[in-house]
Amino acid sequence: MATVNQYKFKGVDNSTSGSALVPLGTGNPLINETIVIKSILVTSAGTPTVTITNNSITAIKSAALTANVTTELLTQPLIVEGGKTFIVQASTTDSFDVAISYLNIKKEVTT
């Protein structure tokens, strides 16, 4: 089994609603992946609070945003295990952007 490390960046522009965002994609990571999130930057046109959930556990609760200011939400890396759900949720429908820098550790079966 080989391991492939990929450094990635994912940005999501949530301009329409305060609905839950799944920035790592609908597969969130695959069962053979582990994601190490280094940075979560958020910018908002308004003043919502942001909650981050990792596998149904609240990792960041109600982080208050200031309008038109970029805020770093992490002070330490956050691990998202394969097959688990990672969600970013705003408290209001204010437009906000989320930018995530992460390391994707993918286990590949080689034959």
Side-chain angles (χ1 to χ4, degrees), residues 10 22-29 86:
K10 178 69 177 187
V22 186
L24 299 176
T26 56
N28 252 317
F86 177 80

Side-chain angles (χ1 to χ4, degrees), residues 17-102:
S17 72
S19 61
L21 297 177
V22 186
L24 299 176
T26 56
N28 252 317
L30 299 175
I31 195 72
N32 67 333
E33 298 175 316
T34 299
I35 290 182
V36 180
I37 300 175
K38 176 66 175 151
S39 174
I40 302 174
L41 296 170
V42 291
T43 304
S44 178
T47 56
T49 60
V50 174
T51 299
I52 306 286
T53 14
N54 183 0
N55 194 29
S56 302
I57 301 297
T58 302
I60 298 172
K61 176 79 173 166
S62 302
L65 301 181
T66 303
N68 302 313
V69 174
T70 301
T71 304
E72 171 61 64
L73 297 183
L74 290 182
T75 56
Q76 296 291 320
L78 180 65
I79 307 298
V80 182
E81 296 175 342
K84 307 302 182 192
T85 305
F86 177 80
I87 297 172
V88 178
Q89 174 89 44
S91 63
T92 66
T93 58
D94 291 322
S95 172
F96 75 101
D97 296 337
V98 178
I100 299 174
S101 296
Y102 62 96

Side-chain angles (χ1 to χ4, degrees), residues 3-6 32-36 103-107:
T3 301
V4 177
N5 294 336
Q6 298 172 320
N32 67 333
E33 298 175 316
T34 299
I35 290 182
V36 180
L103 170 62
N104 184 357
I105 303 167
K106 189 180 292 187
K107 297 168 276 299

